[in-house]
Amino acid sequence: MPNARPILRATLDAVPAYVPGSTAPAGWKLSSNELAHPPLDGVLDAVSTAATQMNRYPDLAAVEVRSSLADRLDVPVRHIAVGAGSSELLQQVMRIAVDPGDEVVYAWRSFESYPIVTGLAGARAVEVPLNEDESHDLPAMADAVSDRTRAVVVCTPNNPTGRALRSSELSDFLARIPSTVLIVLDEAYTEFATGPDRVDGARIYRDHPNLVVLRTFSKAYGLAGLRIGYAIAHESVAEALRKAAVPFGVSSVAQAAAVASLERHDRLIRRVAAVVAERTRVRDTLRSQGWTVPDSAANFVWLRLTDRTSDFTEHCRRVGITVRPYEPDGVRITIGEPAANDALLRAAGTYSYRNRGGRRQ
Ligand SMILES: *Cc1c(COP(=O)(O)O)cnc(C)c1O
């Protein structure tokens, strides 16, 4: 075999590989923030009908999904762009705003795609540590913006810590960011966030032409396997995102599933309510076992286990539960079906007591 290798971009050396939440051979998978519920019947029917047309390209402009979203969110259709999951939209954001050598500011620890897409763009990552309570340090993030900053990413609720920002603190932050810098509001878990001062990107983007909101059908809507997400932004940004998309990247099957899901919004939101109730039960039970658990506004909870991260992950694995370790910070546990959560709570309850407290309150 010839051993000469093509020259690839040097910037790839600095790009971490995406680590997916692994699956236990048998048991409970609480590692990828998926919805545990199976698809609704009507969504499955829409998918099978769309599948009969798989010899055709999908609708490039995704007109039907974008119109359904526009109606639901009360925004103009031209303010919406779709992508193969919001992960793809995040890459599009980098393609439209960031050149090699530019800076991208985001909180850390947060979604693990941020360092990857930043690195692929050849940009410099400016990572701002989370507050002690696991929330974004918004004042420090605003301070980190420089002349070279082209994008600032805010994740609320934050993956993997679950903390959500209040809309009032987000407003103060937005006011501090120059209007020439693109702000990405990653709301992958917005449907799970409750409370009067919750952030609603679909409303606040109206006053901010430099804001792009990313949302997904992968989490609350239960369509992770089909790959569809969307962005909401003013026309210049939304149009640029559409230009930067992989042509026909969102399949007809995914588009049909998204439209059918939006038609069944009320039923889906009832499922979200069930997840939220389980989240409260899991959090309260863990706390009563002596664990330090931050409030979560998403479909997972976070344990800041620091140097016990892999030990606890292994402890769960031995009883058939897969959780998501983030060395060296902690473990993220998805809220699953009640039986899975029971199994997790049993495992947590039998973990060595002195190792349960995180270093943060
Ligand atoms: C899951 C997730 C996404 C996107 O997932 P897709 O399946 O690509 O839509 C985006 N941001 C965060 C923070 C996530 O956790």
Side-chain angles (χ1 to χ4, degrees):
M1 252 206 313
N3 54 20
R5 286 192 290 166
I7 298 171
L8 302 180
R9 292 167 64 214
T11 184
L12 282 167
D13 295 341
V15 176
Y18 190 95
V19 182
S22 56
T23 319
W28 304 111
K29 185 184 181 200
L30 301 180
S31 53
S32 296
N33 293 348
E34 298 144 330
L35 194 72
H37 301 75
L40 298 174
D41 288 346
V43 176
L44 276 181
D45 291 343
V47 162
S48 10
T49 306
T52 63
Q53 297 290 306
M54 65 171 76
N55 52 314
R56 306 286 177 195
Y57 281 108
D59 174 11
L60 178 75
V63 172
E64 226 190 318
V65 196
R66 289 171 53 224
S67 316
S68 306
L69 283 167
D71 286 347
R72 168 148 301 281
L73 302 167
D74 193 22
V75 305
V77 179
R78 61 183 191 285
H79 285 192
I80 296 176
V82 297
S86 55
S87 308
E88 203 231 326
L89 286 157
L90 194 61
Q91 297 215 357
Q92 288 163 236
V93 165
M94 297 298 155
R95 268 180 240 141
I96 67 168
V98 179
D99 278 320
D102 288 341
E103 290 175 1
V104 177
V105 175
Y106 53 86
W108 198 250
R109 180 168 287 273
S110 189
F111 186 36
E112 68 170 314
S113 281
Y114 303 154
I116 297 173
V117 296
T118 304
L120 283 174
R124 197 171 83 81
V126 179
E127 299 186 338
V128 179
L130 296 174
N131 288 319
E132 286 290 300
D133 68 358
E134 309 286 0
S135 62
H136 281 36
D137 186 347
L138 292 177
M141 288 177 73
D143 289 343
V145 171
S146 80
D147 291 348
R148 300 306 305 268
T149 307
R150 288 292 168 273
V152 179
V153 188
V154 174
C155 185
T156 183
N158 186 45
N159 177 4
T161 64
R163 291 299 303 247
L165 295 166
R166 292 188 308 279
S167 82
S168 48
E169 60 184 335
L170 184 66
S171 303
D172 295 345
F173 170 78
L174 295 177
R176 283 195 58 196
I177 306 300
S179 57
T180 48
V181 173
L182 189 62
I183 303 164
V184 183
L185 187 63
D186 187 340
E187 290 194 313
Y189 300 96
T190 185
E191 294 86 356
F192 300 102
T194 48
D197 203 16
R198 67 180 283 272
V199 168
D200 179 2
R203 296 201 68 77
I204 53 178
Y205 94 98
R206 290 163 208 228
D207 300 324
H208 298 276
N210 61 331
L211 184 69
V212 52
V213 178
L214 300 187
R215 291 186 179 174
T216 180
F217 286 95
S218 295
K219 307 287 162 54
Y221 286 91
L223 301 180
L226 287 182
R227 315 308 303 131
I228 178 164
Y230 61 97
I232 315 165
H234 285 242
E235 193 153 4
S236 66
V237 173
E239 196 193 318
L241 287 174
R242 290 193 291 267
K243 280 189 194 168
V246 174
F248 308 110
V250 182
S251 72
S252 336
V253 171
Q255 294 186 30
V259 171
S261 298
L262 290 168
E263 283 165 4
R264 290 160 183 80
H265 189 257
D266 294 348
R267 284 189 65 190
L268 286 162
I269 292 311
R270 280 204 293 279
R271 295 171 149 195
V272 166
V275 173
V276 169
E278 279 293 285
R279 177 182 78 202
T280 305
R281 179 174 79 90
V282 168
R283 180 201 62 190
D284 292 350
T285 310
L286 287 170
R287 284 182 180 165
S288 72
Q289 292 174 350
W291 293 88
T292 300
V293 191
D295 283 330
S296 167
N299 66 338
F300 52 84
V301 292
W302 171 246
L303 301 177
R304 186 167 281 275
L305 279 150
T306 61
D307 59 349
R308 311 303 294 172
T309 294
S310 61
D311 187 59
F312 179 73
T313 303
E314 179 56 23
H315 171 80
C316 292
R317 198 198 57 78
R318 279 196 294 268
V319 291
I321 303 167
T322 312
V323 297
R324 182 69 167 86
Y326 290 96
E327 293 279 5
D329 294 337
V331 170
R332 187 193 69 197
I333 304 163
T334 305
I335 302 300
E337 48 275 69
N341 303 330
D342 286 343
L344 182 274
L345 291 169
R346 276 195 302 275
T350 57
Y351 189 62
S352 155
Y353 190 81
R354 72 189 153 79
N355 288 329
R356 286 182 208 175
R359 83 181 149 78
R360 300 180 179 195
Q361 278 311 303

